[in-house]
Amino acid sequence: MNGLTTLENLSVNFKPGTIDFPQAEELKKLVADKLEQTKGLVATDESIKATKASRAEVNKLKKSIADVRKEYKTAWNTPFELFESTLRGLEKDCDDASQELKLTIDGFEETQREERKQKVQALIEEMAPNYGVKAEDLPIADKWLLKSTSQKTIVQEIGEQMKVLVNLHKERDEIKKKCMKNDLAPAPYIEMHENGMSYIDVSNKIEADLIDRENTADLFKQAKQAEVAERKADMVDIGDGRLVDENGEVKHELQQVTFTLKGTKEQLDNVARFCITNGVKVVKASEREAVIE
């Protein structure tokens, strides 16, 4: 006799059960009669004992009915519970085997994915020098690690992404140059560009900030001029740029100008000597820095 090889041949002897309850109507009548006897009962000093006895009898009747129901329910359910327990145990065996196979499959696919990743990384490192970019600057797209993605597509998309990188680097260099030319810290604007803001929008932001800075400088200059005019109004001009304040102290009206000079070391040394010789006071001076033009 051949054993079971497929569920198509599984045999289960099942017959829908029936419960014959010939005295159902008699039982209904019995309960109705018993309950009819309790209708209209009132609780008084004389009747309270009988009322409690009636309630106890109703509760006893309910319990007897429930006991019969539970007895037959247990007998009815037991065969199916045994049948279900057997099948659930087999289902769990299948689940355990499926999970073990999944781990095996996942491990194999992860190994293949890592191998594809190494090949893509090697391809990026090979192509990077041709575009003048760093291999570590190009992230590996998930699509390039799919088995269904062809080598041709990967090479093409890597090339396109490297062209984008080249353009981004050029734009960031231009942003840096523009900032340095206008004495702006480039870091915030480069960060805006790295976070997705277009080169044009970053350039417009720089221009707007320069205008704001110029407007602020103008307001500051106007405030300083107003302060000088207010102080001068309280002084007596005695000529030759001399002013006498309210305390009789002589002040000198001087002029102050800010230069950014560019020249050879010798030329700037000569300017410094000229200032010292002619009594020009240097209020503030930056460190010298080398520039190539």
Side-chain angles (χ1 to χ4, degrees):
M1 181 176 179
N2 294 330
L4 183 66
T5 59
T6 173
L7 292 186
E8 294 178 359
N9 299 324
L10 181 64
S11 175
V12 177
N13 295 324
F14 171 71
K15 294 180 180 179
T18 58
I19 296 181
D20 188 14
F21 192 8
Q23 293 182 302
E25 295 302 322
E26 294 179 32
L27 178 60
K28 290 179 183 179
K29 186 177 184 308
L30 172 66
V31 172
D33 291 344
K34 291 288 185 181
L35 298 182
E36 182 66 26
Q37 297 173 10
T38 65
K39 289 182 179 180
L41 291 179
V42 294
T44 64
D45 289 341
E46 293 78 14
S47 67
I48 186 64
K49 186 174 181 180
T51 302
K52 289 182 177 180
S54 295
R55 181 172 183 271
E57 188 176 352
V58 170
N59 289 341
K60 182 178 180 181
L61 177 62
K62 174 192 171 184
K63 183 178 182 303
S64 298
I65 295 171
D67 288 343
V68 173
R69 173 179 59 80
K70 292 176 182 178
E71 176 185 356
Y72 284 97
K73 180 179 179 181
T74 299
W76 178 276
N77 288 342
T78 297
F80 178 76
E81 289 174 354
L82 293 174
F83 173 76
E84 182 182 41
S85 175
T86 299
L87 295 186
R88 286 192 178 278
L90 296 175
E91 288 173 25
K92 184 179 182 304
D93 292 342
C94 291
D95 283 340
D96 293 342
S98 176
Q99 182 61 27
E100 186 174 344
L101 290 172
K102 182 180 183 300
L103 294 175
T104 300
I105 293 169
D106 290 348
F108 173 74
E109 291 180 345
E110 182 59 32
T111 299
Q112 284 197 320
R113 179 182 172 85
E114 185 60 32
E115 290 176 355
R116 288 194 290 270
K117 183 176 181 181
Q118 292 176 5
K119 290 179 180 178
V120 171
Q121 185 61 43
L123 189 57
I124 292 174
E125 292 174 359
E126 179 184 348
M127 294 174 63
N130 299 330
Y131 291 85
V133 298
K134 296 179 180 179
E136 57 267 25
D137 289 342
L138 184 67
I140 296 178
D142 291 338
K143 177 183 176 182
W144 301 342
L145 302 181
L146 298 177
K147 189 176 181 179
S148 58
T149 305
S150 68
Q151 180 78 356
K152 180 180 178 181
T153 298
I154 295 174
V155 172
Q156 180 180 350
E157 293 188 2
I158 289 176
E160 291 172 353
Q161 289 301 311
M162 287 186 174
K163 289 177 183 178
V164 172
L165 273 180
V166 170
N167 188 55
L168 288 175
H169 290 329
K170 288 181 180 178
E171 291 178 348
R172 287 170 193 169
D173 286 342
E174 290 299 318
I175 292 171
K176 184 176 180 181
K177 289 178 183 178
K178 191 168 187 177
C179 289
M180 299 297 289
K181 180 180 179 181
N182 292 283
D183 293 326
L184 287 175
Y189 302 99
I190 291 177
E191 183 178 359
M192 292 177 192
H193 191 253
E194 289 177 344
N195 289 337
M197 185 179 288
S198 70
Y199 171 73
I200 294 177
D201 288 342
V202 174
S203 296
N204 290 338
K205 174 64 175 170
I206 292 174
E207 293 294 338
D209 289 348
L210 289 173
I211 293 173
D212 288 343
R213 186 176 70 176
E214 185 176 347
N215 291 338
T216 300
D218 287 342
L219 291 174
F220 181 76
K221 181 180 179 181
Q222 293 170 13
K224 291 289 289 184
Q225 289 174 345
E227 180 185 357
V228 171
E230 183 179 354
R231 290 187 61 191
K232 188 175 180 179
D234 295 332
M235 297 181 179
V236 177
D237 189 345
I238 60 177
D240 296 330
R242 293 179 299 164
L243 302 167
V244 179
D245 64 13
E246 58 185 5
N247 297 321
E249 186 177 350
V250 178
K251 302 291 185 180
H252 296 85
E253 183 177 2
L254 305 176
Q255 292 188 351
Q256 180 174 308
V257 64
T258 301
F259 290 104
T260 298
L261 304 175
K262 186 184 297 183
T264 65
K265 181 180 182 302
E266 291 74 14
Q267 289 172 328
L268 294 184
D269 288 342
N270 290 335
V271 172
R273 280 191 289 269
F274 175 83
C275 291
I276 295 172
T277 302
N278 289 274
V280 177
K281 183 179 180 181
V282 178
V283 179
K284 182 179 180 182
S286 66
E287 295 289 336
R288 292 191 189 186
E289 58 181 274
V291 294
I292 306 296
E293 292 186 349

